Amino acid sequence: MEWNTDSSVKVSTIMRRVTAILDEHDMCVLGTVGAQEPRLTPCFFATLDEHRLVFVSSKGSRHVAHMQADPHCSALVLPEQAEQGRLVSLLLAGEVVRPQGLSRLAALTTYLARMRNRLPSSASSVHGLLDKKVFVLEAESIELVDTHLCRGTMRVGRR
């Protein structure tokens, strides 16, 4: 599927900036909704192709229970605002899927490659992560704020 926008900024420009932010960062605030409450959880992520994000979490985590009950979620990436007067944020929203078989192994391998220096030694191999839950956020919409590109929010969605 193709991305589209109603922004005055070209889709290709927006998506290049989205890719750059995802390449530079590995932490987000994951938003999930449970039966009685929303949940915001800081999470590490790795980027897969087509702006998909992979999350690896412990089975007993509340956000895991939420994603199993309702696959709709969002990931908010907030880069440090290093430049005076520049605001940058990135929000990806969609549904999570649970990859199986070789897709799960590929997602774990990508996650491990990105997180190797952040993970405890017990989880520093694919074998150390096999008992974790793996979710992939399939973004349906992306909202980018970057005041160097545009004064407002730039939104892209799948066609």
Side-chain angles (χ1 to χ4, degrees):
M1 280 197 276
E2 194 175 305
W3 292 103
N4 62 40
T5 186
D6 59 1
S7 172
S8 62
V9 178
K10 291 181 181 180
V11 170
S12 60
T13 302
I14 295 170
M15 298 313 284
R16 274 194 304 276
R17 185 66 179 123
V18 167
T19 298
I21 292 169
L22 292 175
D23 286 347
E24 294 168 6
H25 298 86
D26 60 11
M27 185 172 223
C28 69
V29 177
L30 183 67
T32 59
V33 179
Q36 299 173 352
E37 63 185 347
R39 179 122 184 119
L40 297 174
T41 307
C43 287
F44 291 116
F45 69 87
T47 307
L48 300 172
D49 60 346
E50 300 181 29
H51 302 92
R52 299 180 307 141
L53 305 182
V54 60
F55 301 95
V56 177
S57 299
S58 300
K59 292 178 181 181
S61 300
R62 191 173 300 161
H63 64 276
V64 167
H66 284 190
M67 288 188 292
Q68 289 174 321
D70 182 347
H72 294 91
C73 72
S74 62
L76 176 64
V77 180
L78 290 169
E80 285 189 35
Q81 309 300 312
E83 295 181 39
Q84 186 81 13
R86 181 179 191 174
L87 295 175
V88 179
S89 69
L90 177 62
L91 178 71
L92 293 92
E95 291 189 6
V96 292
V97 296
R98 292 185 52 202
Q100 304 295 318
L102 291 177
S103 295
R104 184 176 190 274
L105 184 59
L108 278 172
T109 301
T110 300
Y111 184 85
L112 180 62
R114 181 110 183 233
M115 295 296 126
R116 189 172 304 277
N117 295 332
R118 292 186 176 265
L119 296 172
S121 60
S122 62
S124 62
S125 70
V126 170
H127 181 48
L129 295 175
L130 288 177
D131 68 330
K132 304 292 185 189
K133 295 288 187 179
V134 179
F135 294 92
V136 174
L137 173 58
E138 305 273 354
E140 296 168 5
S141 66
I142 298 174
E143 294 186 11
L144 172 64
V145 172
D146 185 335
T147 53
H148 278 196
L149 290 178
C150 179
R151 292 185 58 85
T153 301
M154 295 165 275
R155 293 176 181 83
V156 294
R158 296 276 189 183
R159 197 181 298 177

